[in-house]
């Protein structure tokens, strides 16, 4: 999505505009991913469909259709895309989007074919920092912000370093300008993007010192060699950029850089009422300072994607992941200590090269013990250029991979079901983003801080959580009477872009939270009143739980009245009072 918005900005500057359909377009550009085989298969199918459209235009003597393949697949399969079948007229890699207008003009003029219609050169510097992306849907409450590109991890199975190149980070100032602009446009949630997003390291503020640093490197290196062993150990600990127990195949150059924790802190401060998410991280870069920043800011979502890939230490070593099962378990434990009720997700590969049954069982054990809120589990598919493709045998039979995939899904679903039981009675802060496809006439949907889908009935609610709290706590009633009082304060209708406090009543599907709306609120108000953006059932204040029960009863009564009215019965009409149970 982020790359597509950058491409849109580049082309808009050259007077291109977005077509409503393929039939109306003069150019169709497919922005691609090459991480998994299925993603590439879908693109090959789409290219076949576009060939049919090209033939139709030739037969009816219409202007020709140009087809371009962009992104990771373009870099990986460049020659094949421009072969005699001419499935694509131009091929542009992820670091060459600025060159799109030139290549398009050359192809349209008949001056470029084959390699002349291709630019897949990877860059050590390109971050598109100076390009403000064109949002594809300005009405959306959320937006993506790319903060870095490329990956240095060189995991045995992964093609990203070969299609996206080495890591390079956008200057902090350019990221903050984009975030500020999105905030001014009314965006309520941003997602920071990068192939290894939490390895962000910005050196732009050190550029003026570069000459001095370069001239002193020899002296510092000599000084380091002659330092005593204890001093060397202390210096090495000070320069440890990874979570405890994690390592990498490369030695990062991060000294003096603005790191991910610092970036996250500054982004969160741009607008405390704008949510911040990030993806896709590597477990090694979840340092204590990053976890601390997430804990400190209510608007940084309590949802961590921690790709494990395997639960077996021997398999993790073969995958070149840089950590053991024990180190990963330790990171999960620290994350849950620092961030109570945090939601975790992961990536898992089934049937990687040489996987034994014991290694497979260790991964199933990880899924059951860790209990992830979400997991992306795939059978291993070999990708060219990777270490695994060059040095390891893809020797797990397809039928074994399929069985192991099913086993892992079952283990994941078991852990997820246990987590879902804990959701009932929880209070979440949800950001509404539209209506559900089913029963959208009377319902609204959104996302919790923990990235779970929330569905509520559309109904007036108290205009603020603080007003509801003051009303409830202001009542002086006999606790034994369990009387119900009418909240007669300000109420609000809810809509897209609103934050609402909700009480979970039921979990359906894999993780959809059917909830009761309690009050319209804000991030800061919710956190100030309740102490966190996710409140477990045993910590939920009684006044709010009782309000949820009353609101549920009122909603049921309203639904019954609506049904009676539809069948010809009487209706009392709409009330702008909200029922509050006070104990």
């Amino acid at each position: 999505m982020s790359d597509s918005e950058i491409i849109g900005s580049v082309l808009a500057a050259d007077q291109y505009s977005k077509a409503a359909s393929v039939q109306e377009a003069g150019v169709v550009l497919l922005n691609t991913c090459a991480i998994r085989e299925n993603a590439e298969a879908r693109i090959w199918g789409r290219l076949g469909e576009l060939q049919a459209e090209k033939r139709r235009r030739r037969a009816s003597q219409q202007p020709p259709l140009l087809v371009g393949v962009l992104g990771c697949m373009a870099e990986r399969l460049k020659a094949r895309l421009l072969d005699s079948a001419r499935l694509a007229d131009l091929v542009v890699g992820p670091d060459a989007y600025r060159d799109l207008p030139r290549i398009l003009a050359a192809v349209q003029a008949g001056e470029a074919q084959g390699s002349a219609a291709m630019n897949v050169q990877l860059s050590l510097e390109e971050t598109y920092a100076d390009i403000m992306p064109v949002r594809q849907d300005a009405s959306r409450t959320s937006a993506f912000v790319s903060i870095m590109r490329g990956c240095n991890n060189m995991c045995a199975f992964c093609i990203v370093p070969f299609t996206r190149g080495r890591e390079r980070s956008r200057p902090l100032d350019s990221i903050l300008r984009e975030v500020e602009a999105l905030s001014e446009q009314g965006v309520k949630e941003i997602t920071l993007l990068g192939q290894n997003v939490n390895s962000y390291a910005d050196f732009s503020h050190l550029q003026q010192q570069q000459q001095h640093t370069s001239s002193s490197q020899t002296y510092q290196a000599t000084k380091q060699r002659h330092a005593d062993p204890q001093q060397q150990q202390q210096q090495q600990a000070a320069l440890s950029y990874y979570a405890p127990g994690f390592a990498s195949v490369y030695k990062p150059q991060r000294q003096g850089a603005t790191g991910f924790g610092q970036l996250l802190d500054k982004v969160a401060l741009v607008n405390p009422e704008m949510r911040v998410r990030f993806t896709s991280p590597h477990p090694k870069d979840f340092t204590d300072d990053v976890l601390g920043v997430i804990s400190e800011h209510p608007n940084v979502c309590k949802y961590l994607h921690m790709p494990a890939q395997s639960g077996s230490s021997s398999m993790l070593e073969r995958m070149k992941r840089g950590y053991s099962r024990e180190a990963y378990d330790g990171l999960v434990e620290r994350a849950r200590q620092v961030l109570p009720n945090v939601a975790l997700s992961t990536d898992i590969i089934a049937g990687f090269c040489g996987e034994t049954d014991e290694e497979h069982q260790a991964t199933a054990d990880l899924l059951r013990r860790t209990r992830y809120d979400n997991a992306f589990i795939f059978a291993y598919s070999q990708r060219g250029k990777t270490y695994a493709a060059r040095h390891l045998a893809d020797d797990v039979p397809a039928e074994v991979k399929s069985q192991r995939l099913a086993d892992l899904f079952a283990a994941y679903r078991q852990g997820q079901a246990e987590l879902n039981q804990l959701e009932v009675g929880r209070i979440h802060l949800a950001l509404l983003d539209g209506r559900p496809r089913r029963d959208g006439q009377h319902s609204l949907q959104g996302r919790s801080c923990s990235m779970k889908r929330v569905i509520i009935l559309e109904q007036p609610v108290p205009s603020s959580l603080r007003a509801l709290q003051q009303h409830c706590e202001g009542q002086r009633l006999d606790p034994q009477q369990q009387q119900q009082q009418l909240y007669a304060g300000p109420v609000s209708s809810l809509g897209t872009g609103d934050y609402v406090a909700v009480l979970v009543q039921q979990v359906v599907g894999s993780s959809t939270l059917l909830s009761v709306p309690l009050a319209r609120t804000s991030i800061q108000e919710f956190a100030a009143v309740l102490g966190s953006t996710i409140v477990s059932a045993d910590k939920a204040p009684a006044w709010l739980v009782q309000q949820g029960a009353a609101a549920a009863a009122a909603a049921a009564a309203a639904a019954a009245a609506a049904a009676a009215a539809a069948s010809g019965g009487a209706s009392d009409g709409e009330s702008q009072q909200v029922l509050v149970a006070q104990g």
Side-chain angles (χ1 to χ4, degrees), residues 143 145 147 179 188-193 260 263-279 293-294 297-304 431 449 499 523:
V145 177
I147 68 167
V179 172
K188 293 295 186 73
E189 179 180 284
I190 60 166
T191 302
L192 306 179
L193 296 179
F260 183 68
L263 167 71
L264 197 57
D265 179 63
K266 291 182 181 296
V267 168
L269 291 171
V270 168
N271 182 352
E273 291 301 324
M274 182 167 63
R275 272 183 176 171
V276 182
R277 301 187 188 274
F278 57 89
T279 197
V293 169
I294 298 170
H297 293 285
N299 61 327
V300 179
C301 291
K302 308 308 182 276
Y303 173 89
L304 303 181
L431 173 61
C449 171
Y499 289 107
I523 296 176

Side-chain angles (χ1 to χ4, degrees), residues 72-84:
C72 296
M73 187 173 167
E75 196 288 328
R76 196 176 94 80
L77 299 170
K78 42 192 176 282
R80 187 175 166 191
L81 290 164
L82 291 171
D83 64 10
S84 57

Side-chain angles (χ1 to χ4, degrees), residues 433-487:
D433 56 20
R435 296 183 180 276
R437 293 180 182 177
R438 282 181 157 186
D439 195 29
Q441 185 177 356
H442 305 291
S443 303
L444 295 168
Q445 71 174 12
R447 291 281 175 181
S448 68
C449 171
S450 55
M451 199 60 179
K452 294 190 176 180
R453 188 167 176 248
V454 174
I455 295 180
I456 60 173
L457 286 176
E458 186 175 15
Q459 62 190 64
V461 295
S463 294
S464 76
L465 191 60
R466 188 77 74 181
L468 178 60
Q469 180 188 26
Q470 290 171 351
H471 170 82
C472 292
E473 293 182 348
Q475 300 294 314
R476 294 293 183 263
L477 299 175
D478 183 350
Q480 301 302 318
Q481 293 180 1
Q482 294 294 322
Q483 295 184 31
Q484 293 181 335
Q485 299 291 315
L486 288 174
Y487 169 85

Side-chain angles (χ1 to χ4, degrees), residues 523-540:
I523 296 176
Q524 297 303 307
E525 180 189 60
F526 189 98
V529 172
L530 299 175
S532 172
T533 51
I534 307 172
V535 182
S536 57
D538 61 332
K539 300 279 182 67

Side-chain angles (χ1 to χ4, degrees), residues 209-228 231-232 235 239 253 255:
Q209 306 171 24
Q210 188 172 6
Q211 184 175 0
H212 169 74
T213 301
S214 178
S215 64
S216 64
Q217 280 178 344
T218 302
Y219 167 73
Q220 293 295 339
T222 302
K223 182 179 177 182
Q224 177 67 22
R225 282 198 301 271
H226 291 287
D228 64 77
Q231 183 181 1
Q232 288 183 356
Q235 290 174 344
L239 295 177
Q253 301 298 318
Q255 190 171 8

